[in-house]
Amino acid sequence: MKHTADDFRAALPVMLRPTTYLPTLDLTLANMTTPQAVAQLLAPGRRRAFFVNAHCANVMENDRQYAAALRCADMLLPDGIGVSLAARMTGQRLTANLNGTDLIPALLAQAAREGRGVFLFGGTPGTADLAARNLIRAIPHLRITGTRDGFAGAQDDAAVIADINASGADIVLVALGVPAQEIWLHRNAHLLNAALTLGVGAALDFYAGNVSRAPVWLRRARSEWIWRLAQEPRRLAKRYLLGNATFLTRSAIRAVRHAPRAAVLRRTLDITVSASALVALAPLCALTAIAIKMDSPGPVFFRQTRVGRDGVPFQMLKFRSMGQDAEARRAALLATSDREGVCFKSRNDPRVTRVGRFIRRFSIDELPQILNVLRGEMSIVGPRPALPSEVAAYPARAYGRLAVKPGITGLWQVSGRADIGFDRMIDMDLAYAASRTLILDLILIAMTFRAVLSGRGAH
């Protein structure tokens, strides 16, 4: 059975936080998947929600009304790579990019299934009407109860409120732009009968076809701003080029000020050690890549979803040490595990290639995780990152090992690795999480060289 990110996140109600406070923005943002965000937005009760990106944070610095509107919202949705980077500066990770142009269609699809009415307010004259027609074509049974433009149609607040309430809408999407839409809702949302009010920025322009979307690969990289900049360089250059640089600089300064001295030193150690290792071990990595390609068909690298700090998933990198069908064969081999507990390890795993046995023996297969460390997903020292299926089977006490970043090396690795049972591994990881210091990390790094050379428990 293949476990998805949602499967194991559902198994961690204690560890997972639906919101995360970012000191770099001084805001509390939703930290959840898109389906979870949709469910939360449509949950019983009244709710006002806004999207927050780097531009929003810049505007907030100089607009007290807008800042107040954001802080009084019921839900703030992280939008874009800038906010994600600001979170990583303080060792946090946001689960998903909840940008409006991707989340709103999912929200409206669920609203259509539940029979909820939607009102579109904003955009140039005709934009809301065209967006409504396109959305109705794209989403079966979607009920648009009314539209109103954001120019002449937005001049009289009382008339707007009366129009929306008369429509019987359950959801109101307001597209007046930042910060006008947030300030308008902050001032008027309590007069609306709709349960959900949402500021959506330029979303109606996207749905109307006034603005084209970036290619999927660029959106997945959270870099749609590059596409927007290319389309409207004169209007958006200041916002994206100067604005993004200003935002990241301010976030970095706040991250350093906020971070405990130990955290700053630990991150400095991670970057220094991993960057130095990347340069020093480059020839070995190149030789390993060549050997893997010559030994068996398939990619050089193996990517696998692992569970990081606070239960947040990430893609861990390794040199491939098994055949291409390794994941498909795993379930059939679980009974052959040489290790007690939920973590599978087999000394004679038939999936391991000839080169794979050698690089596992000396932990060379783990070297690509240096990149995970540089990206902030892992640390040099910490508990080994577990598979989603393993975390889903954890006893309650084992969740404590998710309180710190996973590492390349740690107490378990220098004490015997796979020869150590699951319960003892958990004891070691909990002890490390409770008492870790920079001195301890340095000692464990030094002990790792001995562990690698001895090869004890490496299989």
Side-chain angles (χ1 to χ4, degrees):
M1 176 181 176
K2 184 177 180 180
H3 291 262
T4 66
D6 286 339
D7 290 334
F8 74 82
R9 288 180 69 85
L12 298 173
V14 177
M15 289 300 303
L16 294 179
R17 297 169 293 180
T19 60
T20 293
Y21 172 72
L22 298 189
T24 45
L25 278 71
D26 192 22
L27 293 173
T28 298
L29 305 185
N31 190 6
M32 56 186 72
T33 63
T34 295
Q36 289 170 333
V38 169
Q40 181 68 20
L41 289 168
L42 296 178
R46 293 176 61 84
R47 197 163 284 105
R48 184 165 73 251
F50 303 133
F51 295 93
V52 176
N53 56 31
H55 174 62
C56 297
N58 286 339
V59 173
M60 184 180 72
E61 289 297 308
N62 301 303
D63 192 323
R64 292 185 178 181
Q65 277 188 297
Y66 178 55
L70 289 182
R71 294 194 172 100
C72 290
D74 299 294
M75 196 170 177
L76 296 178
L77 304 158
D79 174 9
I81 193 170
V83 175
S84 177
L85 291 174
R88 292 190 184 190
M89 288 176 186
T90 53
Q92 299 162 294
R93 286 183 63 82
L94 296 171
T95 304
N97 177 25
L98 301 176
N99 69 85
T101 43
D102 289 327
L103 184 143
I104 292 170
L107 174 72
L108 296 183
Q110 183 59 35
R113 288 189 286 270
E114 297 179 8
R116 305 198 191 201
V118 181
F119 193 100
L120 307 182
F121 171 37
T124 57
T127 292
D129 292 331
L130 183 54
R133 289 196 291 271
N134 291 341
L135 286 168
I136 289 171
R137 280 197 294 268
I139 302 173
H141 311 299
L142 177 64
R143 186 163 60 91
I144 303 291
T145 63
T147 64
R148 198 175 180 99
D149 73 74
F151 285 77
Q155 296 303 308
D156 186 341
D157 284 355
V160 174
I161 293 165
D163 193 13
I164 292 173
N165 287 341
S167 75
D170 304 290
I171 300 170
V172 180
L173 305 186
V174 181
L176 300 177
V178 174
Q181 62 197 16
E182 288 81 8
I183 294 173
W184 191 91
L185 282 171
H186 181 58
R187 188 172 60 238
N188 297 307
H190 68 285
L191 301 174
L192 298 173
N193 297 332
L196 174 62
T197 53
L198 184 63
V200 298
L204 298 189
D205 284 311
F206 283 110
Y207 305 138
N210 299 340
V211 179
S212 64
R213 299 257 3 227
V216 173
W217 64 268
L218 198 59
R219 302 203 306 257
R220 287 176 178 169
R222 301 187 183 186
S223 299
E224 190 162 10
W225 66 271
I226 297 174
W227 181 264
R228 294 288 312 280
L229 177 61
Q231 290 181 310
E232 301 179 79
R234 186 184 297 273
R235 186 174 74 87
L236 297 177
K238 182 178 179 180
R239 174 191 296 188
Y240 287 136
L241 298 180
L242 179 60
N244 286 353
T246 300
F247 169 76
L248 291 174
T249 300
R250 185 175 59 248
S251 296
I253 292 171
R254 288 180 176 174
V256 172
R257 287 175 179 171
H258 178 269
R261 184 169 178 269
V264 173
L265 291 174
R266 183 170 285 109
R267 183 58 182 154
T268 301
L269 175 67
D270 281 345
I271 293 174
T272 302
V273 172
S274 55
S276 301
L278 191 63
V279 173
L281 298 172
L284 175 60
C285 290
L287 290 173
T288 301
I290 293 171
I292 290 171
K293 292 299 289 184
M294 292 179 64
D295 183 50
S296 62
V300 168
F301 296 107
F302 175 66
R303 293 172 172 82
Q304 190 176 54
T305 298
R306 294 293 180 106
V307 184
R309 183 180 178 181
D310 292 334
V312 177
F314 71 97
Q315 290 293 303
M316 189 185 78
L317 292 171
K318 298 181 74 171
F319 279 124
R320 182 175 59 83
S321 61
M322 296 184 177
Q324 286 183 277
D325 61 347
E327 288 294 280
R329 298 170 61 189
R330 184 176 186 274
L333 296 170
L334 290 178
T336 68
S337 179
D338 299 321
R339 190 180 186 200
E340 297 177 358
V342 301
C343 299
F344 172 77
K345 281 288 181 180
S346 177
R347 189 178 302 275
N348 298 307
D349 193 326
R351 301 173 298 168
V352 179
T353 63
R354 289 175 300 174
V355 168
R357 294 198 182 281
F358 178 83
I359 62 176
R360 280 177 166 230
R361 169 67 173 74
F362 294 102
S363 298
I364 297 171
D365 61 320
E366 310 287 358
L367 293 182
Q369 287 156 47
I370 292 170
L371 298 175
N372 291 116
V373 175
L374 289 172
R375 292 197 310 226
E377 298 159 336
M378 293 177 63
S379 186
I380 293 294
V381 180
R384 285 300 293 163
L387 290 165
S389 56
E390 293 170 348
V391 175
Y394 272 3
R397 76 183 189 94
Y399 293 151
R401 74 191 301 270
L402 302 179
V404 297
K405 280 185 186 179
I408 296 178
T409 188
L411 280 174
W412 172 75
Q413 294 90 320
V414 303
S415 302
R417 289 183 273 188
D419 289 344
I420 294 175
F422 174 78
D423 289 337
R424 190 178 167 206
M425 179 194 75
I426 294 301
D427 290 339
M428 289 180 171
D429 290 340
L430 294 179
Y432 172 78
S435 59
R436 62 187 182 137
T437 64
L438 197 63
I439 295 298
L440 176 60
D441 285 357
L442 290 171
I443 292 172
L444 291 172
I445 290 171
M447 293 177 66
T448 299
F449 292 102
R450 185 186 68 180
V452 169
L453 291 175
S454 71
R456 181 186 171 196
H459 55 267

